[in-house]
Amino acid sequence: MKNKSYFDRHLGQFLIAPGTLVIFGVMLTPIFYAFYISLNKLTFRGENTLYDFVGFGNYVDIVAKDPWFSKSILTTLEFTLLTVAAEIVLGIGIALVLNKEFFGRGFVRGLMILPWAMPTVVNAVMWKWILNPNYGAANGILLKLGLIENKVYWLATPRGAFLSILVANVWKETPYVVLLTIAALSTIPEDLYEAGSIDGAGGWKAFWKITLPLIKQVVLILTITKTIWAFQTFDLVVVMTSGGPENSTNLLSYYIYRVAFKMNRFGSAAAMSYSLSMLCFLLTFIYIKVFMGSGDEPKQDKLAKKQRRQLR
């Protein structure tokens, strides 16, 4: 049999090359163009756009001359920390419950997906109606239960508005955590829990010693993705609060939108966008170091091997 030619050996690569180039072109062109914009100050004169190259001047200005940028970062960090922590804790807790055998488990699991499948704008409008002080369900239920005496203006106070978008985001995004955690729990062999119960590892001890170490990688992925998504929260703010009151919900994504399309400072907005991306990269690096530090993976392997040896 004759040796195949170079073209025959790499036929697959040649066939997918055009599509790959198009995909990377569509992805990378806006990224590089946004970086180019971040190095310029744009001036619009009729149909013409003038680019005034300033280097990293936009990055310096947003830090040194824009106090709302630093305030929006702090607000976004607080929002991200609280929403990711709440979603991970609630999601794992609900997944542990739904992983047990009970009547109607399949129906309840399917029902859990609905909030996550709902479009974010629809979710925001729904919560805005629920929290309406005049006809909202929140005030109606609390008044009938006697938990409040007067109607509460949930979206009219800085802290109330912040907590409102936090609750709305947690309600929508937690089912995603539940879904992936259930998938991870289904891969853990039951014999590990049986062997652990022999050693007295039951309840919380089994969770900390068996369950959590074996789903750590899934928790890491969830933490990273949920952090990135929380930093990109935009729809909830636009529909529910528009950044108010008193800029208490002025998350960074919404502030970038205001800087770009309300103030026409596209160079500054592009610099803020890249700063947001760098912050996400930094947090991702920290997460990986914390979750998957040196020695963590061998401990998981040793745990599984030890439990299996005890069954022999």
Side-chain angles (χ1 to χ4, degrees):
M1 183 176 179
K2 296 181 180 180
N3 294 330
K4 292 183 178 180
S5 65
Y6 178 85
F7 181 81
D8 291 333
R9 293 197 306 270
H10 298 277
L11 177 61
Q13 289 88 330
F14 283 122
L15 292 177
I16 67 174
T20 304
L21 292 175
V22 171
I23 292 174
F24 274 94
V26 172
M27 291 175 57
L28 297 179
T29 300
I31 294 175
F32 289 123
Y33 182 63
F35 180 70
Y36 173 71
I37 291 177
S38 73
L39 303 178
N40 292 266
K41 287 188 177 180
L42 276 61
T43 305
F44 301 97
R45 293 182 180 177
E47 297 180 354
N48 298 321
T49 303
L50 303 180
Y51 295 83
D52 182 17
F53 183 78
V54 294
F56 290 95
N58 286 324
Y59 292 89
V60 176
D61 289 344
I62 63 176
V63 175
K65 299 181 180 179
D66 191 347
W68 289 112
F69 174 69
S70 57
K71 291 180 180 179
S72 66
I73 286 183
L74 293 176
T75 302
T76 305
L77 285 173
E78 182 184 6
F79 175 81
T80 301
L81 175 64
L82 293 176
T83 190
V84 171
E87 289 166 13
I88 296 297
V89 173
L90 287 175
I92 293 177
I94 295 172
L96 291 172
V97 174
L98 295 182
N99 197 47
K100 304 294 183 180
E101 291 286 348
F102 61 88
F103 177 75
R105 184 179 69 167
F107 174 76
V108 176
R109 282 184 174 183
L111 201 63
M112 277 295 303
I113 305 301
L114 292 181
W116 183 62
M118 183 181 298
T120 307
V121 174
V122 177
N123 175 52
V125 173
M126 180 191 71
W127 276 99
K128 192 173 183 179
W129 286 351
I130 292 174
L131 299 173
N132 187 282
N134 297 315
Y135 54 79
N139 278 339
I141 294 174
L142 293 176
L143 284 170
K144 288 184 177 180
L145 293 175
L147 298 178
I148 58 175
E149 296 180 357
N150 300 306
K151 58 186 178 182
V152 179
Y153 292 83
W154 304 97
L155 300 176
T157 61
R159 205 59 191 171
F162 180 84
L163 293 176
S164 296
I165 64 169
L166 178 68
V167 170
N169 191 70
V170 170
W171 183 84
K172 174 175 171 52
E173 299 295 338
T174 299
Y176 178 78
V177 181
V178 176
L179 183 65
L180 265 66
T181 305
I182 290 177
L185 292 174
S186 65
T187 63
I188 302 177
E190 286 294 330
D191 55 9
L192 294 181
Y193 293 105
E194 295 174 1
S197 63
I198 297 175
D199 292 337
W204 280 107
K205 192 173 182 181
F207 172 76
W208 288 110
K209 297 295 184 180
I210 300 176
T211 305
L212 192 58
L214 294 178
I215 65 171
K216 181 182 289 188
Q217 292 184 352
V218 174
V219 175
L220 171 62
I221 294 172
L222 286 170
T223 305
I224 293 174
T225 55
K226 302 310 292 182
T227 298
I228 295 173
W229 293 353
F231 268 104
Q232 295 175 346
T233 302
F234 176 77
D235 312 57
L236 286 175
V237 178
V238 172
V239 176
M240 295 181 66
T241 63
S242 297
E246 301 178 11
N247 290 297
S248 60
T249 59
N250 189 28
L251 301 184
L252 189 53
S253 293
Y254 180 73
Y255 184 58
I256 293 172
Y257 158 77
R258 288 177 56 191
V259 170
F261 298 102
K262 300 293 183 181
M263 307 176 190
N264 290 328
R265 292 165 47 198
F266 288 93
S268 298
M272 292 179 187
S273 299
Y274 265 87
S275 300
L276 175 60
S277 300
M278 293 302 104
L279 185 57
C280 290
F281 279 125
L282 176 62
L283 289 175
T284 300
F285 177 78
I286 294 174
Y287 287 153
I288 293 175
K289 283 295 183 181
V290 171
F291 276 84
M292 309 302 292
S294 59
D296 281 356
E297 204 57 39
K299 288 181 181 178
Q300 291 187 31
D301 295 339
K302 289 179 181 178
L303 173 65
K305 291 178 180 178
K306 178 182 177 182
Q307 298 287 9
R308 289 192 174 93
R309 281 198 304 266
Q310 291 175 347
L311 294 176
R312 296 174 181 174

